Amino acid sequence: MTSETRLDRGRRMLDRIDGEAGQNVIDALEDIAPDFATYLFEYPFGDIMSRPGLGLREREIATVAALCALGTAENQLKVHIQAALNCGVSRDEIIEILMQMSVYAGFPAALNGLMAAKQVFADAPARS
């Protein structure tokens, strides 16, 4: 019996959370920084996202809020808005999360987050 490696666990979690969008990020790194792609599998997904204590839904809520607040991670925000949808966060909840960021990250960050969500929602099948 073999135990699951960090890399294997990370790949499984990335596929579960982000599906094709997450794999596209990994694929885009293959020709420039394949080691970084491995790090993305192992640390954020293999170590952190797979920890007990919070469910994937709650982890994606926190991730969407953090990426919105950063204000410099539009592509990653879009990937994680879709991931939040994949993990059961509704469109209305995502909008509320992003509006909440206007208090803590400012109106420009919240506005940019809402515009990112609008693009993701336009490309995603309606869930709620």
Side-chain angles (χ1 to χ4, degrees):
M1 183 171 150
T2 62
S3 63
E4 187 176 42
T5 67
R6 292 171 68 215
L7 181 59
D8 292 337
R9 187 172 54 246
R11 286 182 179 179
R12 181 176 49 80
M13 290 302 291
L14 181 66
D15 185 54
R16 182 174 170 197
I17 296 165
D18 289 331
E20 185 178 316
Q23 188 60 50
N24 289 343
V25 172
I26 299 301
D27 292 345
L29 291 168
E30 277 303 314
D31 64 343
I32 189 168
D35 289 342
F36 196 76
T38 299
Y39 302 149
L40 282 174
F41 279 128
E42 289 179 337
Y43 181 65
F45 293 95
D47 291 343
I48 300 300
M49 294 297 268
S50 61
R51 288 177 54 80
L54 288 177
L56 292 178
R57 183 179 189 282
E58 292 76 21
R59 290 186 187 279
E60 284 303 327
I61 287 170
T63 302
V64 167
L67 290 171
C68 178
L70 280 174
T72 59
E74 181 181 356
N75 290 334
Q76 293 80 14
L77 177 58
K78 289 177 185 176
V79 167
H80 283 281
I81 288 170
Q82 182 59 57
L85 292 169
N86 295 346
C87 292
V89 181
S90 73
R91 290 178 178 207
D92 289 342
E93 289 172 316
I94 290 169
I95 291 165
E96 289 299 322
I97 293 162
L98 297 169
M99 288 175 60
Q100 177 79 11
M101 292 304 97
S102 68
V103 177
Y104 298 98
F107 273 81
L111 180 60
N112 290 342
L114 289 164
M115 292 298 103
K118 182 176 180 176
Q119 290 177 353
V120 172
F121 296 166
D123 295 338
R127 293 181 185 213
S128 61

